[in-house]
Amino acid sequence: VQLQASGGGLVQPGGSLRLSCVPSGRTFSTYAVSWFRQAPGREREFVSATDPRGVTTAYADSVKGRFTISRDNAKNTVYLQMNSLKPEDTAVYYCAARNGRIVLSAMRRAGVYDYWGQGTQVTVSS
């Protein structure tokens, strides 16, 4: 499965962006999907995840209340709505996926995901 992440860009602090993750050649409805990010000089970190049906979600504490993960299985797309963006949100954002459910406690672990997208740059700056 190849994942295509898009929607990044340059935005001022307090602004919003919506990222999208689309798989090529597969139906996404059976996949758990997550977003991770990596800033220059820092390790990759978990941002958010959703189960295949979009019922169970998880968020990093740093984005809780500002970011919302959702999915439209009819459109075969997972979204990450990012509001109230801060300079510290600047990073390359990656979507990742795994076929089947993942228990909530494992959703934050990068190693459980089998497929990764190429990343989309998000820059928050005035």
Side-chain angles (χ1 to χ4, degrees):
V1 178
Q2 294 189 358
L3 304 178
Q4 180 71 39
S6 62
L10 173 63
V11 63
Q12 293 186 342
S16 298
L17 284 173
R18 187 176 77 163
L19 307 184
S20 298
C21 180
V22 179
S24 61
R26 294 292 178 93
T27 300
F28 230 6
S29 61
T30 62
Y31 287 74
V33 180
S34 66
W35 290 94
F36 286 76
R37 67 186 181 186
Q38 187 166 20
R42 300 187 64 177
E43 293 187 355
R44 180 176 52 188
E45 64 175 356
F46 169 78
V47 176
S48 184
T50 177
D51 71 348
R53 293 186 299 160
V55 174
T56 301
T57 57
Y59 295 93
D61 288 344
S62 59
V63 306
K64 200 171 294 183
R66 300 188 297 122
F67 291 11
T68 303
I69 192 169
S70 63
R71 64 192 303 156
D72 186 338
N73 285 338
K75 295 183 178 180
N76 221 28
T77 304
V78 172
Y79 303 100
L80 184 68
Q81 178 67 44
M82 306 186 296
N83 298 329
S84 302
L85 283 161
K86 304 175 181 180
E88 51 264 43
D89 295 318
T90 296
V92 177
Y93 283 70
Y94 300 90
C95 61
R98 176 188 173 99
N99 196 8
R101 292 185 67 249
I102 304 174
V103 296
L104 182 60
S105 60
M107 278 185 166
R108 301 168 185 266
R109 292 166 41 199
V112 305
Y113 298 97
D114 299 316
Y115 307 103
W116 291 81
Q118 85 292 352
T120 184
Q121 176 70 46
V122 172
T123 303
V124 185
S125 175
S126 56

